């Protein structure tokens, strides 16, 4: 919570002194002491989120009496300045949780303000699942937690199912910047960990590790993180059938054996490995047991009481459809329990099951189908298949984050399931009755609805307005709290997937383009009354819009300019009449083509256009003469490279100007914000994804920044990251980044 720059009113002691002076006729002898210097933190903003142990704090200061400022301290650490503390910065250590940053000022006359400014920063080690392994989820119901395997970081986490708190159980690599900066747990490195299982009173985790023929079963001690090889099929003294390729495994503790799926697509089998002798026995497959062959099987569930193994055969080489099978472990016989192609059970087909679980109370199987992106239940008795939640429009049952890359699902109880999706950073809880999906808590910054596909933004004081195309809404974001509120949205709002947005401050209205895919139109909305009006639709005079990709306000001429990718041209729309005029249509062949961003110079006559979808270059266009000049990148007319390096602006989109310092800020899909010197064309990184490059500041990495607003008074950039569904701030001095508003999910 930001405090005022200084206390309003006088202290009791100062007031008594003044009254005493007035009573004695002493004139100005009882005047209050001069006010101390004021100071303000510009970065980080209040209530923002950070994920580093050290942050660079920057700000400004001034003295009401014009005295020199002797010192600025933040949390008792002296700040540095080269301009007499008009601007200053200081690096501070942070701890996980809430950090209160307090600015203290002192001037030459000895006046001091102990709390000239205060901001609060939340510091978190992100859960950040990077790449969930196939079937990479198992539940420890006794401790209300989920074990999840992560292939990219070669780690196993637990997530508390009530609080969402992540704990690293074991990791072969560092997994964050705060709590787990080094590998955790000893033993062999895990490679592509997948299909974990939980066994024994100590909740030890068994999983498959390794690529191709090097696969083996590893054991993880959840208390120490120690990793050890539980079974290596390539290094065993046991007798029996030789291994071809280890696919998955499940422990059968009652019989002191490991049940293994082995083989290649089209010819798989079930082997039992005696844990005492390591001898191998064929349980089911070619040569043992009747019923359909095992073609593509990895997902398993063991019913030890019935001595049966259940599996989904993701058939692809032959047969009409995929099957849920019951395998008798006594004789190896295989029976089909459910298959749409064989008319066993009703409901949608199964395609690629990555996990299989069973609930004994309702006699239902739970299947995570990654190809169809649906969660299915299957009745054990009838084989009937029912969608709990899916991605197809007809299967979008329940509210919550969509299932995009489903990797595993497990019953928490008869009514709830826990699910992991490779697009989401934390597990989801799914209500099996309603299909409602809910992310585990403790991640969001700011309350309110989640973003879905934020594409553009405009600033109204300390509020941002974000156009969310998929949510079909205009959403306000409070920059102080991160709270999100739908200003206008929904099927009855009159919106049609808004994607471009700008502010018309003279008329106090928001201008936006929607219905881009069908019939693009320019609309206006009063931010106070939320009333919509049409500015320029298909009925207006002038050339039709095809696919506008960027828009900028030309206030001096009462119009907006649009880059229209459908015709590689610039179109002007008069705000008073809605009339459209073709302004420029002789742009280079590689000019716009589905990726351009516009910015208008302060002179009102110079249009800057970033054409970054192909080769990547920055142009200036004279709106009077039509003359164009390549400022940076490969000149589309001559092929000359200006500024460099080559392809530095390739695929970049989103631009803001700082004409005072002759530079443009540009967002790029690599997760970088780049700066282009408008005089030389030189490109450099201002703020980047600190996990991938060694420059560009610290803090949460950018993934797909699509829009920028330059807040030059505070020397910062406001950034809209579409992939992370977040509003972020990047400091122009240090490049450090914090999150202002974030809606519970990181997309990859």
């Amino acid at each position: 919570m930001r405090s005022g720059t200084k206390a309003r009113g006088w202290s009791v002691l100062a007031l008594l002194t003044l009254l005493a002076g007035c009573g004695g006729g002493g004139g100005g002898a009882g005047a209050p002491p001069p006010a101390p210097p004021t100071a303000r933190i510009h970065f980080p903003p209040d209530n923002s989120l950070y994920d580093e142990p050290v942050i660079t704090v920057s700000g400004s200061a001034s003295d009401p009496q014009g005295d020199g400022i002797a010192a600025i301290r933040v949390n008792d650490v002296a700040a540095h300045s080269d301009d007499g503390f008009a601007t200053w910065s200081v690096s501070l250590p942070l701890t996980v949780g809430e950090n209160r940053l307090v600015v203290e000022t002192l001037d030459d006359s000895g006046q001091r303000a102990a709390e000239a400014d205060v901001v609060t920063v939340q510091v978190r080690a992100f859960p950040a699942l990077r790449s969930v392994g196939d079937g990479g989820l198992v539940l420890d119901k006794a401790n209300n937690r989920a074990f999840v395997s992560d292939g990219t970081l070669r780690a196993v986490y637990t997530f508390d199912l009530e609080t969402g708190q992540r704990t690293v159980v074991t990791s072969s690599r560092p997994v964050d910047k705060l709590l787990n900066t080094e590998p955790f747990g000893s033993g062999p490195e895990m490679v592509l960990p997948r299909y974990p299982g939980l066994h024994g009173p100590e909740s030890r985790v068994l999983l498959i590790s390794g690529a191709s023929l090097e696969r083996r079963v590893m054991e993880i001690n959840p208390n120490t993180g120690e990793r050890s090889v539980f079974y290596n099929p390539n290094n065993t003294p046991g007798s029996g059938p030789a291994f071809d390729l280890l696919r998955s495994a499940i422990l059968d503790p009652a019989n002191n054996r490991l049940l293994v799926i082995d083989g290649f697509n089209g010819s798989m089998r079930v082997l039992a490995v005696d844990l005492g002798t390591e001898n191998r026995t064929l349980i089911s497959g070619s040569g043992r047991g009747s019923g359909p062959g095992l073609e593509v099987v990895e997902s398993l569930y063991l019913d030890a009481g019935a001595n049966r193994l259940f599996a989904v055969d993701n058939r692809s080489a032959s047969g009409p459809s995929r099957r849920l099978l019951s395998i008798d472990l006594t004789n190896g016989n295989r029976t089909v329990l459910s298959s749409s192609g064989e008319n066993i059970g009703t409901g949608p087909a199964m395609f690629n099951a990555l996990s299989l679980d069973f609930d004994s109370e309702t006699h239902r199987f739970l299947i995570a189908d990654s190809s169809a992106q649906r969660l299915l239940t299957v009745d054990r008795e009838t084989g009937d298949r029912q969608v709990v939640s899916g991605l197809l429009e007809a299967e979008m049952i329940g509210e919550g984050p969509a299932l995009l890359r489903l990797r595993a699902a497990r019953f928490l109880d008869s009514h709830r399931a826990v699910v992991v999706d490779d697009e989401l950073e934390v597990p989801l809880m799914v209500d099996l009755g309603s299909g409602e999906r809910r992310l585990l808590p403790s991640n969001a910054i700011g309350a309110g609805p989640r973003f879905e596909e934020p594409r553009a933004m405009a600033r109204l004081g300390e509020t941002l307005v974000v156009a969310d195309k998929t949510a079909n809404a205009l959403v306000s974001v409070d920059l102080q709290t991160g709270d999100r509120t739908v200003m206008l949205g929904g099927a009855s709002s009159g919106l049609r997937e808004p994607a471009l947005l700008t502010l018309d401050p003279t008329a106090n209205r928001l201008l936006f383009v929607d219905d881009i895919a069908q019939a693009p139109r320019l609309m206006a909305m009063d931010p106070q009354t939320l009333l919509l009006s049409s500015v320029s639709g298909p009925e207006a005079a002038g050339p039709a819009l095809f696919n506008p990709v960027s828009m900028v306000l030309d206030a001096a001429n009462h119009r907006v300019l649009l880059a229209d990718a459908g015709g590689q041209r610039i179109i002007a729309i008069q705000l008073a009449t809605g009339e459209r005029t073709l302004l420029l249509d002789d742009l280079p062949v590689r000019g716009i083509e589905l990726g351009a961003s516009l910015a208008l110079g302060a002179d009102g006559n110079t249009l800057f256009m970033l054409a970054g979808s192909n080769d990547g270059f920055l142009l200036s266009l004279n709106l009077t003469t039509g003359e164009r000049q390549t400022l940076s990148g490969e000149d589309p007319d001559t092929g000359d490279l200006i500024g460099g390096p080559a392809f530095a602006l390739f695929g970049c989109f989103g631009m803001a100007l700082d004409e005072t310092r002759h530079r443009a800020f540009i967002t790029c899909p690599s997760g970088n914000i780049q700066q282009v010197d408008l005089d030389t064309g030189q490109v450099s990184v201002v703020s980047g994804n600190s996990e991938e490059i060694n420059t560009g500041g610290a803090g949460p990495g950018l993934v797909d920044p699509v829009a920028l607003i330059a807040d030059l008074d505070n020397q910062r950039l406001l950034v809209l990251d579409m992939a992370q569904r977040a509003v972020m701030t990047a400091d122009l001095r240090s490049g450090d980044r914090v999150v202002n508003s974030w809606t519970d999910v990181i997309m990859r």
Side-chain angles (χ1 to χ4, degrees):
M1 177 172 61
R2 185 185 293 275
S3 73
T5 55
K6 60 189 176 194
R8 295 183 182 273
W10 301 332
S11 68
V12 174
L13 179 60
L15 184 59
L16 291 175
T17 302
L18 177 61
L19 291 173
C22 292
T38 61
R40 181 168 177 246
I41 294 177
H42 296 305
F43 182 87
D46 195 33
N47 196 43
S48 54
L49 183 145
Y50 202 62
D51 69 343
E52 302 271 353
V54 175
I55 194 169
T56 300
V57 181
S58 60
S60 60
S62 62
D63 189 272
Q65 280 73 42
D67 294 335
I69 301 176
I72 297 285
R73 302 179 71 85
V74 183
N75 289 10
D76 210 32
V77 178
H80 169 76
S81 177
D82 294 324
D83 55 12
F85 294 102
T87 60
W88 49 266
S89 63
V90 58
S91 293
L92 297 176
L94 299 176
T95 58
V96 175
E98 184 174 288
N99 289 254
R100 193 166 180 261
L101 310 181
V102 181
V103 183
E104 177 187 358
T105 64
L106 180 69
D107 66 15
D108 290 340
S109 64
Q111 298 303 312
R112 173 178 171 271
E115 291 191 0
D117 198 9
V118 179
V119 302
T120 299
V121 179
Q122 300 290 336
V123 179
R124 248 182 238 168
F126 288 145
L129 287 172
R130 299 298 176 81
S131 178
V132 181
D134 290 351
L137 167 72
V138 65
L139 300 185
D140 179 7
K141 297 181 183 179
N143 294 297
N144 199 38
R145 60 182 179 174
F147 287 87
V148 185
S149 64
D150 188 309
T152 297
L153 295 175
R154 303 187 179 186
V156 174
Y157 304 142
T158 60
F159 287 87
D160 186 289
L161 296 179
E162 181 177 352
T163 66
Q165 176 64 44
R166 180 204 66 175
T167 302
V168 177
V169 174
T170 190
S171 64
S172 302
R173 298 177 176 179
V175 299
D176 59 53
K177 307 167 188 174
L178 286 162
L179 300 177
N180 300 277
T181 59
E182 300 292 336
F184 181 75
S186 60
E189 184 174 24
M190 293 182 296
V191 178
L192 299 175
R194 55 202 181 278
Y195 295 113
L198 198 65
H199 301 286
E202 296 182 354
S203 299
R204 59 179 173 167
V205 179
L206 298 183
L207 51 78
I208 305 297
S209 171
S212 191
L213 298 178
E214 298 301 317
R215 294 176 183 174
R216 51 192 175 174
V217 181
M218 291 189 67
E219 178 179 354
I220 312 299
N221 185 319
N223 299 313
T224 65
E226 181 183 358
R227 302 178 296 274
S228 59
V229 176
F230 184 80
Y231 179 71
N232 186 347
N234 301 309
N235 182 22
T236 173
S239 61
F243 270 96
D244 293 325
L245 178 64
L246 176 64
R247 308 299 293 247
S248 61
I250 193 167
L251 190 65
D252 182 4
N255 295 295
N256 194 37
R257 63 182 180 179
L258 192 68
L259 299 173
V260 175
I261 297 294
D262 171 69
F264 297 97
N265 291 1
S267 59
M268 294 187 181
R269 56 190 176 171
V270 181
L271 298 178
V273 179
D274 186 291
L275 296 179
T277 64
E278 296 194 14
N279 291 339
R280 300 171 298 281
T281 305
L282 176 63
I283 295 294
S284 186
S286 179
R288 178 169 171 80
S290 61
L294 302 176
E295 296 194 27
V296 183
V297 175
E298 289 182 320
S299 302
L300 304 174
Y301 177 81
L302 175 64
D303 185 344
N307 200 34
R308 287 187 175 273
L309 186 68
F310 297 95
V312 178
D313 193 334
N314 299 314
R315 303 181 65 178
S316 56
S318 64
S321 70
R322 282 66 170 167
R323 300 160 163 161
L324 173 61
L325 296 171
S326 171
I327 303 172
D328 190 310
L329 296 176
T330 301
N331 55 32
N333 291 344
R334 299 168 296 279
T335 305
V336 180
L337 297 182
S338 184
S339 171
S340 63
E342 296 164 86
N343 294 319
I344 302 175
T346 61
M350 298 172 285
F351 289 95
N352 186 28
L354 290 185
S355 71
L356 178 66
D357 200 12
F358 182 72
D359 175 48
S360 58
E361 182 177 328
T362 59
H363 302 283
R364 293 185 300 174
F365 291 95
L366 182 66
I367 293 175
D369 191 326
S370 66
S371 292
Q373 296 308 322
R374 62 166 67 113
L375 198 60
L376 288 171
T377 58
V378 182
D379 188 285
R380 178 171 174 173
E381 305 303 325
T382 65
D384 291 348
R385 299 167 299 280
Q386 182 177 349
V387 175
V388 174
S389 185
L391 186 60
L392 297 176
E393 184 174 354
E395 299 175 353
M396 289 183 179
I397 303 169
E399 300 293 329
L403 302 175
L404 299 175
R405 296 182 64 188
L406 189 59
R407 310 312 292 175
R410 303 287 177 188
F411 281 109
L412 181 59
D413 53 40
S414 297
H415 311 289
R416 296 177 297 167
V418 182
V419 173
V420 284
D421 188 299
D422 210 28
E423 291 290 344
L424 305 178
E425 63 149 10
V426 294
L428 298 97
M429 303 287 285
V430 180
D431 185 298
L432 296 176
S434 66
E436 180 183 359
R437 300 167 301 280
R438 175 178 59 83
L439 289 163
L440 294 184
S442 79
N443 296 301
I445 294 296
R450 65 193 295 270
F451 290 128
E452 294 186 39
E453 190 185 352
R455 297 288 296 270
M457 62 180 177
R459 186 177 182 186
L460 293 169
E462 287 302 306
T463 299
L464 287 182
V465 180
V466 175
D468 192 316
K469 180 180 178 183
T470 299
N472 192 33
L474 297 179
V475 181
S476 68
V477 180
D478 188 311
L479 288 174
Q480 294 297 317
T481 65
D483 290 348
R484 298 167 301 280
T485 305
V486 174
M487 300 177 71
L488 194 65
S492 62
S493 66
L495 300 183
R496 303 175 190 169
E497 300 181 344
L500 301 179
L501 180 67
T502 191
L503 175 67
D504 180 3
T506 303
N508 189 32
R509 60 182 178 172
L510 292 162
L511 301 171
F512 63 92
V513 177
D514 68 356
D515 203 13
I516 285 180
Q518 301 297 325
R521 58 180 185 162
L522 179 64
M523 302 290 292
M525 186 187 78
D526 186 310
Q528 303 300 322
T529 65
L530 305 184
L531 291 177
L532 280 181
S533 59
S534 176
V535 177
S536 184
E539 74 287 347
L545 299 175
F546 291 101
N547 186 12
V549 293
S550 184
M551 176 172 66
V552 64
L553 177 71
D554 181 2
N557 294 296
H558 308 290
R559 63 184 182 177
V560 293
L561 308 178
L562 288 93
D564 190 38
Q568 295 183 337
R569 55 195 181 165
I570 302 296
I571 289 179
I573 301 180
Q574 294 297 325
L575 295 177
T577 65
E579 181 181 356
R580 295 183 295 271
T581 305
L582 185 61
L583 203 62
L584 293 171
D585 63 352
D586 62 342
L587 296 173
V589 174
R590 294 175 295 175
I592 300 179
E593 196 178 338
L594 302 180
S597 187
L598 302 180
L600 190 64
D603 62 5
N605 195 51
T606 303
L607 184 67
F608 297 88
M609 185 183 78
L610 171 67
S613 63
N614 292 300
D615 298 304
F617 49 87
L618 179 62
L619 298 173
S620 67
L621 304 169
N622 187 299
L623 295 178
T624 301
T625 65
E627 179 185 0
R628 66 173 181 260
Q629 178 185 358
T630 302
L631 302 177
S632 185
E634 183 181 342
D635 191 309
D637 297 317
T638 66
D640 294 339
L641 182 65
I642 301 172
F647 306 110
L649 302 179
F650 181 84
C652 297
F653 186 87
M655 176 168 52
L657 295 178
D658 176 7
E659 292 189 271
T660 302
R661 298 180 63 179
H662 300 281
R663 57 183 177 173
F665 304 109
I666 292 171
T667 61
C668 295
S670 59
N672 294 336
I673 299 173
Q674 302 195 125
Q675 172 183 291
V676 178
D677 187 306
L678 297 177
D679 295 321
T680 67
Q682 191 66 39
V683 180
S684 58
V685 174
V686 173
S687 186
N689 188 340
S690 58
E691 296 179 359
E692 298 178 1
I693 60 176
N694 294 322
T695 60
L702 300 167
V703 178
D704 189 11
V706 293
L708 275 177
I709 295 176
D711 180 6
L712 299 177
D713 290 339
N714 294 310
Q715 284 296 292
R716 64 184 184 180
L717 298 170
L718 301 174
V719 188
L720 182 64
D721 193 308
M722 183 171 66
Q724 298 195 94
R725 298 169 178 170
V727 173
M728 305 175 75
T729 296
D731 184 68
L732 283 174
R733 298 179 182 90
S734 65
D736 288 0
R737 298 166 301 281
V738 294
V739 179
N740 302 88
S741 186
W742 180 33
T743 55
D744 266 344
V745 57
I746 283 183
M747 302 296 292
R748 280 177 290 278

